[in-house]
Amino acid sequence: MTYDVAIIGAGVVGAFVARELSRYNLKIVLLEKFNDVAMGTSKANSAIVHAGFDALSGTLKAKMNVEGTRLMPEVCKELNVPFRPCGSVVVAFSDAETETVHKLYERGKVNGVPEMEIIGQEKLREIEPHISENAKSALYAKTAGIVCPYELTLAAAENAVLNGAELIRNFSVEQISFDNGVFEISNGESRVSSKYVINCAGIYADKIAGLIGDNSIKIAARKGEYMLIDKKMSYLANTVVFQCPSEMGKGVLVTRTVDGNLLVGPSSIEVDSETRDDLATNADVLADILKSAQRSVPAVNTRDVITSFAGIRAHDVSDDFIIAPSAENSAFINVAGIESPGLSAAPAIGVYAAELLLRACGGAEPNSSFNPCRKAPVRFRELSSAEREKLIEKNRSYGKIVCRCETVTEGEILDAIHSTIPATDVDAVKRRTRAGMGRCQSGFCGSKVVELLSRELGINSEDITKFGGNSKILVGKTK
Amino acid sequence: MLNYDIVIVGGGPAGMAAALRARECGVESILILERAETLGGILEQCIHTGFGLHYFGEELSGPEYAERFIKLMDELSIEYKTETMVLDVSSDNIVTAVNTTDGLLTIKATAIVLAMGCRERPRGALNIAGTRCSGIMTAGTAQQYVNMSGYMPGKKVVILGSGDIGLIMARRMTLEGAEVKLVCELMPYSSGLTRNIVQCLDDYSIPLRLSCTVIRIHGTERLEGVTVAMVDENRRPIPGTEEYIECDTLLLSVGLIPENELTRAAGIEIDPVTNGAVVNEFRETTQPGVFACGNVLHVHDLVDFVTLESYAAGEGAAKYVHGSVLPPDYISTKGVGAVRYIVPQRVNIHNTEDVKLYFRVGQVFKDASIVVKYKGRELARRKRPRLAPGEMENVVLSHALVGDFENGETVEISVEVKQA
C-alpha cells in the first residue's frame, strides 16, 4: 500500500500534523522511532503554554506561538486534556531587567498577544506571595498557561488514529528514496511507501532531511534539566514565574504542573551533535538551577524533589521554526527547529503544515466522519464519591487502587493497556495514568504494573520494559 | 455509613498489635483496613530471620512473625478487610475507603489508629546525576520481586546505602546467584544494624565502602554502570576518587519515609524530624481519638518495638473509646544535641504509669551516657557502651517522676561522653 502522507516523528508536532490531516480523506501513517508517542522533546519540557511575547516579531515562531496559544483552550477541550490558564509573570530584579520587561511587553503587543499588563511589586506579591523581595516589577500575561505535554501529544495522536491515521511504533527511519513520485522509507528491515513526507523528527530533523539530500537544517540541540518537586510544595507558585530571558532561552522558571507538582528548570546547554539524545542530568547543573530558581522564589529547596530529568530542544541555528517544503523535493515538507514555544505552537503548526501539504498535493476531500473529540480517560482521583461509586458498580477493577501515591486504580491501568494507542511498557502506563509518578516513584506499584502488562499483553514479565528497546526490568526467574 | 469503635488503617505488625491490645482492653467493635491482599504488611516479603528476638524470645522469619498475629486476629474474630485502600481520614473521624467488593466505604469511628507504615526514599529524591535507564530500584522493590514474584532484577549489583533492607538484599541477591560488587554508604557509619553488616556483608565478603556515594548513572536503556566517589565531611564528592563500576542493577537503601499523606490531609501535626505525627505516650495525635503507631509514626529498627508501641496505641484507643481520658496537661520531650528526636513528643502529667521514651542519635558514640533532665535537674543517667544512628534507644520515665511534672514544662534527653 502507498500512503498519501508519512509523518516522521510522533511528538507533539507530528501528532498535531496527523490530527489536522485526518480531517481529510488521506491515507496517513505516523512513524515513530520509540515504543510510544511523545518520547523525545515532547515528554520533557517546561509544559508551558506561552503567551507569545518572547519570539522576535515577524518570525514564524512568534506567529505560530500566538496562534497556537489562541487555539489551545479549544483544542484541549476537544481532546479532553487538562489546560490551566494560570497566567505567567516575567519578573524583573533590576532596572535593566525592568527595561527588558517593558521591551517584552511592546514586542508582545506587536506579536498580537492579548491581556498583558506591567505590574508593580505590590500586585506581583498579591499574585505570587512567595516571590523574592528583590522583585521590582513584572510582565503579567493572562493567556499563558500550563498543559501536560505528553498527554496533549497522546491525545492528539489518539484522535488522529481514531480518525483513520495509522501509527507505526519502533520504526526508526534509516533510509528514504524517491522514485516515480513515491518515497520509500526504510528502517533497515521493512519499508513504507508514501507520496508525501512530513519531517517532524525533532532533534533529528536535520538527519532525516539529510536522507533526501536536504542539508539546509542545522540542529544545535540544547539540553534542559529540570527538578520535579512534591505536590505539597506547589503553593510556592500560582502562575508560571519566569525570569528575564537571555540568549540561551527563557531562563529558569518556577511553575506548577497540571498535576499539581512544582517544576523548576530548565538549564540550557548546547550539546554535542553526536550525543544529542543523551538525557543524563548533571549534579552541578541541577545545583545551578536550584540557585537560579531561588532568585525568584527563595523557598524552593531540594528536600522534596521527587525526580530530576532532562529534555533536549531542537534548536535550529536560524533561531526560527522551519516549516516549508524542502528545496530538494517539494513533496517533502520540513517541520523543523521546533524548540520552545513549540508546545504552545503545536496546534497552529498542525494547521499550517496541513495547509502546506494540501497545497502541495492539490487539495483533498474532507473526511466526513472526522470527529475532533477524544473521550477523556477515567481519572479516579478526580471524581466525586458519587461518581466513584457508580464507576465501581459498573466495573469492579476501579475499586482496586494499584498506585497509592497518585490513587490510580487497576481499571485505569487496564484502560491504558487497551487504549487507542495501547501502553506496552511501564513508562507508557505511567504517562497515561500517573501510576508510578508519585512520591514513591513506583517503589510499591512497579511490580504490579509489570504483572498487569504481562497478563494483559500475554508476554513474560522478564520481557516487559521500562520504555521499550532493551530497557528490561527483570533478567529472569530466581533459582 | 458503617460504625465501629476503632478503625485501624493498615494491617501490618503495627495495626494488628493495636487491634489485639484494644480487644484485650475490652473493645469489641474493631475493623482493620489493609491495602494488600493479606494481613502482615511488609513482613510478608522479609523471608529472612531475625524477627521476634526481643518480643517472642526466638528468631522468626518475617512471615512467621506476622502469622502469629494473623492467627490471633482470626481466633479473636477481629474484623478486617484486605485489598482496601483508605482514601481519607476526616477531621471528625470518618474514614473513606475503597475496594472491589464494597465499592466506596464510609465508616464513622470513635477512635482511629493510623498504622500505614513507611516507604523507601526513591532515586529521584537523591538527585543522582545521569540517565533514567532501567535497572535502578529500591532494595524493597527488589525484595518484592525476588521473594514474592520469583524474579531477579539483575545479575551484577551495586547497592547505594547501607540501610537494613539494602544489607538484607545484598545477601539475598548473592544467594540467588547475583554478584554484589559493592555496598556504598554516604555517611562515615552504616545506618543498618551491626548484626546485619556481619551476617549479610562480612559473611559473604561483600565490600562496604563508607563515605562513598554514587555520583553518576550510565546506560541508555538498561543500566550499564555507575560512577562512585568518596565524599568529604560535608558529603561532597572528592575529585580524583571517582571509580567506574560495571553493573546492571543499582539498588537503593537510602532511608525510609513514614507514609503520612492521610495524616497530613487530616491536618494532624507532624514532627519535622520523624516525619510522623506528634503524639503523647498513648500515641494519640493532635486530633482527639486519632492514634498512630509503628513505622508511620517513626521508623523503627526492630519489629518487636513496633509491636510494643502499637500495644500502647491500642490501649490508648481503647481507653478513648471507654471515655477514660486524662485532662490535657502535658510536658514536652526534647532531644538535645545528638539526640535527633524523641517519641512520644509529649507526656501527660496525670499519667500514673511508667513511660518509655524512644529516641535516635545522629552519630556513633562509645562509652556514652544518656542523661535525662527536667528544669536543669538531672533525673536519670544511663550508661551505654555504644550508641549508633541505626539503633533505637529508650529510657524509662518512672511514674513517680511524671507525677511531679508541671504542665508546659520540658524534659530533655542528651548524650554525654566522658572526656579522655
PDB file of all heavy atoms in Angstrom, chain A residues 278-291:
ATOM      1  N   ASP A 278      21.505  12.218  24.607  1.00  0.00           N
ATOM      2  CA  ASP A 278      21.935  11.866  25.956  1.00  0.00           C
ATOM      3  C   ASP A 278      21.106  12.650  26.976  1.00  0.00           C
ATOM      4  O   ASP A 278      21.223  13.865  27.082  1.00  0.00           O
ATOM      5  CB  ASP A 278      23.425  12.180  26.105  1.00  0.00           C
ATOM      6  CG  ASP A 278      23.898  12.044  27.542  1.00  0.00           C
ATOM      7  OD1 ASP A 278      23.194  11.386  28.332  1.00  0.00           O
ATOM      8  OD2 ASP A 278      24.958  12.603  27.866  1.00  0.00           O
ATOM      9  N   LEU A 279      20.274  11.929  27.699  1.00  0.00           N
ATOM     10  CA  LEU A 279      19.353  12.593  28.624  1.00  0.00           C
ATOM     11  C   LEU A 279      19.864  12.605  30.061  1.00  0.00           C
ATOM     12  O   LEU A 279      19.091  12.739  31.001  1.00  0.00           O
ATOM     13  CB  LEU A 279      17.984  11.909  28.567  1.00  0.00           C
ATOM     14  CG  LEU A 279      17.193  12.153  27.274  1.00  0.00           C
ATOM     15  CD1 LEU A 279      15.952  11.283  27.238  1.00  0.00           C
ATOM     16  CD2 LEU A 279      16.812  13.611  27.145  1.00  0.00           C
ATOM     17  N   ALA A 280      21.162  12.439  30.216  1.00  0.00           N
ATOM     18  CA  ALA A 280      21.724  12.417  31.567  1.00  0.00           C
ATOM     19  C   ALA A 280      21.594  13.792  32.219  1.00  0.00           C
ATOM     20  O   ALA A 280      21.731  14.817  31.560  1.00  0.00           O
ATOM     21  CB  ALA A 280      23.184  11.995  31.506  1.00  0.00           C
ATOM     22  N   THR A 281      21.353  13.776  33.522  1.00  0.00           N
ATOM     23  CA  THR A 281      21.347  15.024  34.281  1.00  0.00           C
ATOM     24  C   THR A 281      22.713  15.182  34.950  1.00  0.00           C
ATOM     25  O   THR A 281      23.454  14.224  35.075  1.00  0.00           O
ATOM     26  CB  THR A 281      20.254  15.002  35.358  1.00  0.00           C
ATOM     27  OG1 THR A 281      20.405  13.802  36.125  1.00  0.00           O
ATOM     28  CG2 THR A 281      18.879  15.034  34.739  1.00  0.00           C
ATOM     29  N   ASN A 282      23.001  16.396  35.366  1.00  0.00           N
ATOM     30  CA  ASN A 282      24.314  16.683  35.950  1.00  0.00           C
ATOM     31  C   ASN A 282      24.150  17.390  37.281  1.00  0.00           C
ATOM     32  O   ASN A 282      23.361  18.334  37.390  1.00  0.00           O
ATOM     33  CB  ASN A 282      25.123  17.566  35.002  1.00  0.00           C
ATOM     34  CG  ASN A 282      25.444  16.818  33.728  1.00  0.00           C
ATOM     35  OD1 ASN A 282      26.363  16.010  33.691  1.00  0.00           O
ATOM     36  ND2 ASN A 282      24.650  17.039  32.691  1.00  0.00           N
ATOM     37  N   ALA A 283      24.906  16.927  38.254  1.00  0.00           N
ATOM     38  CA  ALA A 283      24.754  17.454  39.616  1.00  0.00           C
ATOM     39  C   ALA A 283      24.982  18.962  39.668  1.00  0.00           C
ATOM     40  O   ALA A 283      24.206  19.687  40.292  1.00  0.00           O
ATOM     41  CB  ALA A 283      25.713  16.736  40.552  1.00  0.00           C
ATOM     42  N   ASP A 284      26.044  19.448  38.990  1.00  0.00           N
ATOM     43  CA  ASP A 284      26.333  20.879  39.097  1.00  0.00           C
ATOM     44  C   ASP A 284      25.272  21.718  38.383  1.00  0.00           C
ATOM     45  O   ASP A 284      24.921  22.809  38.827  1.00  0.00           O
ATOM     46  CB  ASP A 284      27.753  21.202  38.581  1.00  0.00           C
ATOM     47  CG  ASP A 284      28.048  20.517  37.258  1.00  0.00           C
ATOM     48  OD1 ASP A 284      27.315  19.577  36.917  1.00  0.00           O
ATOM     49  OD2 ASP A 284      29.001  20.918  36.570  1.00  0.00           O
ATOM     50  N   VAL A 285      24.735  21.164  37.286  1.00  0.00           N
ATOM     51  CA  VAL A 285      23.684  21.888  36.562  1.00  0.00           C
ATOM     52  C   VAL A 285      22.436  21.998  37.439  1.00  0.00           C
ATOM     53  O   VAL A 285      21.827  23.064  37.552  1.00  0.00           O
ATOM     54  CB  VAL A 285      23.354  21.181  35.233  1.00  0.00           C
ATOM     55  CG1 VAL A 285      22.147  21.824  34.574  1.00  0.00           C
ATOM     56  CG2 VAL A 285      24.558  21.216  34.297  1.00  0.00           C
ATOM     57  N   LEU A 286      22.075  20.889  38.084  1.00  0.00           N
ATOM     58  CA  LEU A 286      20.891  20.915  38.944  1.00  0.00           C
ATOM     59  C   LEU A 286      21.094  21.889  40.111  1.00  0.00           C
ATOM     60  O   LEU A 286      20.172  22.585  40.522  1.00  0.00           O
ATOM     61  CB  LEU A 286      20.573  19.507  39.455  1.00  0.00           C
ATOM     62  CG  LEU A 286      20.106  18.520  38.375  1.00  0.00           C
ATOM     63  CD1 LEU A 286      19.947  17.116  38.957  1.00  0.00           C
ATOM     64  CD2 LEU A 286      18.790  18.957  37.734  1.00  0.00           C
ATOM     65  N   ALA A 287      22.310  21.948  40.616  1.00  0.00           N
ATOM     66  CA  ALA A 287      22.607  22.885  41.713  1.00  0.00           C
ATOM     67  C   ALA A 287      22.434  24.328  41.234  1.00  0.00           C
ATOM     68  O   ALA A 287      21.885  25.171  41.950  1.00  0.00           O
ATOM     69  CB  ALA A 287      24.013  22.652  42.226  1.00  0.00           C
ATOM     70  N   ASP A 288      22.880  24.608  39.998  1.00  0.00           N
ATOM     71  CA  ASP A 288      22.716  25.953  39.433  1.00  0.00           C
ATOM     72  C   ASP A 288      21.242  26.304  39.246  1.00  0.00           C
ATOM     73  O   ASP A 288      20.829  27.446  39.470  1.00  0.00           O
ATOM     74  CB  ASP A 288      23.426  26.051  38.074  1.00  0.00           C
ATOM     75  CG  ASP A 288      24.933  26.166  38.235  1.00  0.00           C
ATOM     76  OD1 ASP A 288      25.384  26.399  39.382  1.00  0.00           O
ATOM     77  OD2 ASP A 288      25.655  26.015  37.231  1.00  0.00           O
ATOM     78  N   ILE A 289      20.471  25.304  38.795  1.00  0.00           N
ATOM     79  CA  ILE A 289      19.039  25.534  38.592  1.00  0.00           C
ATOM     80  C   ILE A 289      18.387  25.935  39.908  1.00  0.00           C
ATOM     81  O   ILE A 289      17.601  26.878  39.981  1.00  0.00           O
ATOM     82  CB  ILE A 289      18.364  24.268  38.023  1.00  0.00           C
ATOM     83  CG1 ILE A 289      18.811  24.055  36.572  1.00  0.00           C
ATOM     84  CG2 ILE A 289      16.841  24.360  38.115  1.00  0.00           C
ATOM     85  CD1 ILE A 289      18.341  22.741  35.991  1.00  0.00           C
ATOM     86  N   LEU A 290      18.754  25.206  40.957  1.00  0.00           N
ATOM     87  CA  LEU A 290      18.176  25.499  42.261  1.00  0.00           C
ATOM     88  C   LEU A 290      18.504  26.938  42.671  1.00  0.00           C
ATOM     89  O   LEU A 290      17.629  27.698  43.082  1.00  0.00           O
ATOM     90  CB  LEU A 290      18.708  24.514  43.307  1.00  0.00           C
ATOM     91  CG  LEU A 290      18.226  24.785  44.727  1.00  0.00           C
ATOM     92  CD1 LEU A 290      16.736  24.478  44.829  1.00  0.00           C
ATOM     93  CD2 LEU A 290      19.008  23.973  45.730  1.00  0.00           C
ATOM     94  N   LYS A 291      19.765  27.296  42.531  1.00  0.00           N
ATOM     95  CA  LYS A 291      20.207  28.637  42.918  1.00  0.00           C
ATOM     96  C   LYS A 291      19.419  29.685  42.128  1.00  0.00           C
ATOM     97  O   LYS A 291      18.951  30.680  42.666  1.00  0.00           O
ATOM     98  CB  LYS A 291      21.707  28.780  42.634  1.00  0.00           C
ATOM     99  CG  LYS A 291      22.452  29.484  43.763  1.00  0.00           C
ATOM    100  CD  LYS A 291      23.876  29.812  43.376  1.00  0.00           C
ATOM    101  CE  LYS A 291      24.845  28.650  43.575  1.00  0.00           C
ATOM    102  NZ  LYS A 291      26.153  28.896  42.933  1.00  0.00           N
TER     103      LYS A 291
END
